[in-house]
């Protein structure tokens, strides 16, 4: 995915990128009594890969969908909603990433999602990106806190961390400050890190691509947010370097009846139910 970027008006360009990517991000909500939706408990990204559609999120958020809510939850993007109760899912403990498959015949009866196209070319170096955009729904982790009803965007930059003081297996560290937060609600960095989590939020890095005398930004899915970093500088994402291989394996399992996929999810449930 590419965006035209005007160096003379970078703020307006950032807003356009945020608005274009925002419909691809979903909020996970439980279905509670009376057919009402409960509060957001995580985020995910609608993803297109090899003509198939997935929702990509963190392993912890997928576990909450399966363990806490027994898949009685919905993925909500702006005015569109998709039930998760009938869908197959898989996880990769080595990546801390979970995937929910949205079959073609099932999607024919559902609202058509706007998806981020996953490139099969490979992985891009996060240190070489112009910036990394975190797009997700803040989940209150302690009170007092408001419950934002829309996704926020955080313009961040990848940075090396030699200490690696985090729980994530393949971490990518991104930093930001209060001025980098795009939100309808007034949020500063301290309040965001103190009161909220961004579990399952996609980290999309944008890279300069100068062609035909025009400045373009090419977007890559760089990671999925798993935690705030211990130093309070920013967030930690789990790398999507191996995502293509994971999804290829998942599709192969689905074609073979999905037994290994079911075993992986059963292992996930057992770990998080302890």
């Amino acid at each position: 995915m590419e965006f035209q970027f005007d160096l003379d008006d970078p703020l307006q360009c950032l807003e356009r990128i945020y608005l274009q990517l925002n419909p691809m991000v979903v909020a996970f909500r439980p279905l509670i009594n009376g057919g009402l939706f409960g509060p957001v408990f995580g985020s995910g990204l609608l993803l297109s890969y090899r003509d198939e559609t997935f929702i990509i999120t963190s392993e912890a958020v997928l576990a909450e969908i399966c363990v806490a809510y027994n898949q009685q939850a919905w993925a909500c993007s702006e005015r569109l909603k998709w039930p998760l109760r009938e869908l197959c899912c898989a996880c990769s403990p080595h990546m801390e990433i979970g995937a929910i498959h949205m079959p073609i015949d099932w999607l024919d009866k559902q609202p058509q999602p706007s998806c981020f196209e996953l490139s099969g070319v490979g992985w891009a170096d996060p240190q070489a990106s112009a910036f990394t955009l975190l797009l997700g729904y803040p989940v209150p982790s302690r009170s007092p806190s408001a419950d934002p009803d829309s996704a926020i965007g955080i313009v961040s930059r990848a940075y090396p961390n030699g200490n690696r003081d985090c729980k994530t297996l393949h971490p990518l560290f991104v930093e930001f400050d209060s001025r980098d937060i795009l939100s309808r609600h007034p949020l500063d960095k301290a309040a965001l890190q103190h009161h909220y989590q961004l579990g399952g939020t996609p980290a999309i890095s944008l890279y300069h691509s100068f062609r035909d005398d025009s400045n373009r930004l090419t977007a890559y899915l760089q990671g999925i947010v798993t935690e705030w970093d211990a130093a309070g500088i920013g967030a930690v994402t789990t790398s999507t370097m191996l995502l293509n291989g994971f999804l290829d394996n998942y599709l192969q399992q689905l074609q073979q009846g999905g037994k290994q996929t079911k075993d992986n999810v059963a292992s996930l449930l057992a770990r998080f139910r302890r």
Side-chain angles (χ1 to χ4, degrees):
M1 177 176 288
E2 286 191 340
F3 301 92
Q4 187 74 33
F5 194 79
D6 185 355
L7 292 172
D8 294 327
D9 193 4
L11 292 180
Q12 188 169 346
C13 290
L14 281 173
E15 181 71 15
R16 284 202 304 269
I17 293 172
Y18 165 73
L19 292 174
Q20 190 166 339
L21 291 174
N22 196 46
M24 304 176 188
V25 179
V26 299
F28 294 114
R29 294 180 179 271
L31 194 63
I32 58 178
N33 294 335
L36 300 176
F37 289 113
V40 174
F41 62 84
S43 300
L45 178 69
L46 290 159
L47 189 76
S48 175
Y49 180 67
R50 298 197 185 280
D51 297 322
E52 296 284 350
T53 303
F54 301 88
I55 304 176
I56 305 298
T57 187
S58 69
E59 184 192 35
V61 171
L62 179 61
E64 191 161 1
I65 292 170
C66 296
V67 176
Y69 300 108
N70 194 28
Q71 285 194 231
Q72 296 300 311
W74 290 61
C76 306
S77 174
E78 296 187 335
R79 297 181 182 85
L80 305 181
K81 304 175 181 65
W82 298 271
L84 305 179
R85 60 184 178 275
E86 301 174 355
L87 301 182
C88 293
C89 52
C91 61
S92 173
H94 302 297
M95 294 170 56
E96 299 182 60
I97 285 178
I100 301 169
H101 181 232
M102 305 172 84
I104 295 173
D105 56 348
W106 180 87
L107 274 175
D108 287 341
K109 306 170 187 175
Q110 302 290 337
Q112 294 303 299
S114 177
C115 295
F116 186 90
E117 185 77 32
L118 181 64
S119 169
V121 175
W123 193 69
D125 179 6
Q127 304 296 329
S129 66
F131 60 90
T132 296
L133 186 61
L134 309 181
L135 268 171
Y137 291 78
V139 178
S141 58
R142 62 182 73 186
S143 56
S145 60
D147 185 10
D149 56 2
S150 60
I152 68 168
I154 302 176
V155 182
S156 62
R157 295 150 293 278
Y159 75 95
N161 185 335
N163 296 327
R164 300 191 129 200
D165 185 13
C166 68
K167 299 176 184 177
T168 303
L169 294 177
H170 301 287
L172 167 65
F173 298 89
V174 293
E175 61 178 332
F176 63 92
D177 60 35
S178 295
R179 294 171 298 176
D180 297 325
I181 302 173
L182 308 173
S183 174
R184 295 178 188 173
H185 302 265
L187 279 174
D188 61 25
K189 180 178 177 179
L192 183 63
Q193 291 182 317
H194 184 73
H195 290 295
Y196 301 93
Q197 296 295 328
L198 288 176
T201 291
I204 298 173
S205 291
L206 291 109
Y207 295 78
H208 285 296
S209 176
F210 294 95
R211 294 187 308 177
D212 301 326
D213 297 325
S214 65
N215 184 18
R216 294 182 178 273
L217 290 174
T218 304
Y220 292 87
L221 177 60
Q222 201 82 68
I224 301 293
V225 174
T226 52
E227 57 183 302
W228 297 120
D229 69 353
I233 296 173
V236 183
T237 83
T238 182
S239 170
T240 54
M241 183 184 295
L242 305 176
L243 182 59
N244 293 58
F246 166 57
L247 292 178
D248 285 335
N249 185 49
Y250 183 17
L251 286 172
Q252 184 178 12
Q253 291 172 24
L254 288 170
Q255 292 167 0
Q256 296 171 352
K259 182 183 183 306
Q260 187 177 348
T261 296
K262 293 175 183 176
D263 291 343
N264 288 344
V265 174
S267 174
L268 171 76
L269 299 182
R271 290 203 316 276
F272 279 86
R273 277 176 175 152
R274 291 194 188 114

